[in-house]
Amino acid sequence: MSLKLFRSTEFAESSLFVPSKQRVSTHPAWVCALASLWLATVCNASLWRELLRVCELGQISAVWPAVRLVVLMASACFVFFCIFSSRRFLKPLITLLFVLSALTSHLMLNLNLVIDANLINSALNRNPLSVQSFMSVPLLVTVFVLALAPAIWLWRTPVRRLPPMHYLLQNWGLAAASCAVILVAMLASTPDLYALVRAHPQLRQMANPFGPLQALFDVAKLRLSPS
C-alpha cells in the first residue's frame, strides 16, 4: 500500500526516479552554457557597438577581437555558474544576471551611460521619484527581450537532477576546463586585444555582466568599509 502511494506522488515521478524523464530533461551544464552564450553575445550589444566604433577609429577589423571577447566572457560566465550555483539556486542566479544585464544594456544603449561605481552611488543617493524617470517603453522592451523571454524558457526547461556529489565534482571539473579555455583565449589575445582595452577602458566597464558586477562590488565595499 505504501509503495502504491509513493508511486502516485509527483516526487516519485520526477527525473530522479524515472529514467525516461531523466532523458527528456536538460543537463545543467547545457543550461549554464546556453545562458553564458546569451549573456556574452546578445546582452552585450552596447559593447559590440562601442567595439565597432573604436576599431573603425583605429582602422582595424572588429571581428577577431569580438570573437575572443565572446569566448572569454562566455567561459567566465560558465565558470561563475559552475562555482557559485547549486541545483536549487541555478535558475534564480541566471535570472538575476539576465535582469541585471538587461537593465544595464538599456542604460548603455539608449542613454550612453557607462555603469561604474559613481553612477550607482549617484542612483542610490537620488530621490526614488527621480529614478522612476528612467522607466520607459524602450526599457520594458529591452527587459522583455533580454531578460523575461530567456527567463521564461529557463524556468519552463526541466533540469536533470544529479546526485549532490556528482553535481559538485562535475561543476568543478567543468569550471577547470573553462579556466583552461580562458587561459588559451588570453594567450591568443596578446597583445592586440589588451592594448585595445587599455586604450579604451570603457570596453571593460561595458562588458556584461562583469562590468556592472564589479561596479556593484566597489559600491558595496565602499559603503561597508568603516569611515
Side-chain angles (χ1 to χ4, degrees):
M1 182 67 180
S2 60
L3 182 59
K4 289 183 178 180
L5 288 174
F6 174 77
R7 287 177 176 174
S8 65
T9 61
E10 181 180 354
F11 182 68
E13 295 177 355
S14 67
S15 61
L16 186 65
F17 294 94
V18 182
S20 61
K21 291 195 175 184
Q22 182 84 323
R23 288 194 296 269
V24 172
S25 59
T26 304
H27 196 284
W30 281 112
V31 174
C32 292
L34 292 174
S36 299
L37 282 174
W38 181 264
L39 288 168
T41 54
V42 181
C43 291
N44 274 288
S46 55
L47 174 63
W48 308 133
R49 184 182 66 179
E50 182 67 11
L51 179 65
L52 183 61
R53 186 187 70 83
V54 299
C55 286
E56 286 180 348
L57 291 176
Q59 296 182 345
I60 59 176
S61 173
V63 175
W64 182 228
V67 169
R68 285 176 289 178
L69 282 174
V70 167
V71 172
L72 284 169
M73 291 189 297
S75 300
C77 285
F78 191 81
V79 171
F80 183 82
F81 291 142
C82 287
I83 294 178
F84 293 104
S85 67
S86 63
R87 291 183 302 175
R88 181 172 298 178
F89 298 110
L90 177 62
K91 289 184 177 182
L93 177 62
I94 293 175
T95 303
L96 182 63
L97 289 185
F98 282 166
V99 174
L100 174 65
S101 298
L103 294 174
T104 54
S105 292
H106 169 76
L107 295 176
M108 290 186 285
L109 278 172
N110 296 284
L111 302 179
N112 294 318
L113 296 175
V114 176
I115 310 302
D116 57 13
N118 292 329
L119 180 66
I120 296 176
N121 264 323
S122 176
L124 292 175
N125 293 329
R126 284 190 176 205
N127 187 304
L129 293 177
S130 64
V131 176
Q132 290 179 6
S133 62
F134 288 105
M135 297 297 294
S136 62
V137 173
L139 172 62
L140 297 178
V141 171
T142 303
V143 171
F144 176 80
V145 173
L146 297 185
L148 184 58
I152 291 173
W153 166 83
L154 175 67
W155 286 92
R156 288 178 59 85
T157 300
V159 178
R160 186 177 305 173
R161 297 168 60 94
L162 301 175
M165 186 56 64
H166 183 192
Y167 185 83
L168 180 64
L169 293 176
Q170 174 185 271
N171 273 16
W172 283 96
L174 290 172
S178 297
C179 287
V181 173
I182 293 173
L183 180 60
V184 172
M186 291 177 65
L187 292 175
S189 300
T190 306
D192 56 331
L193 186 58
Y194 291 154
L196 187 65
V197 173
R198 281 196 301 268
H200 304 279
Q202 71 273 20
L203 294 175
R204 178 178 54 81
Q205 295 174 314
M206 296 174 73
N208 253 331
F210 303 104
L213 285 176
Q214 180 64 48
L216 288 171
F217 176 78
D218 292 341
V219 171
K221 184 171 64 174
L222 180 64
R223 289 180 173 252
L224 293 177
S225 61
S227 54

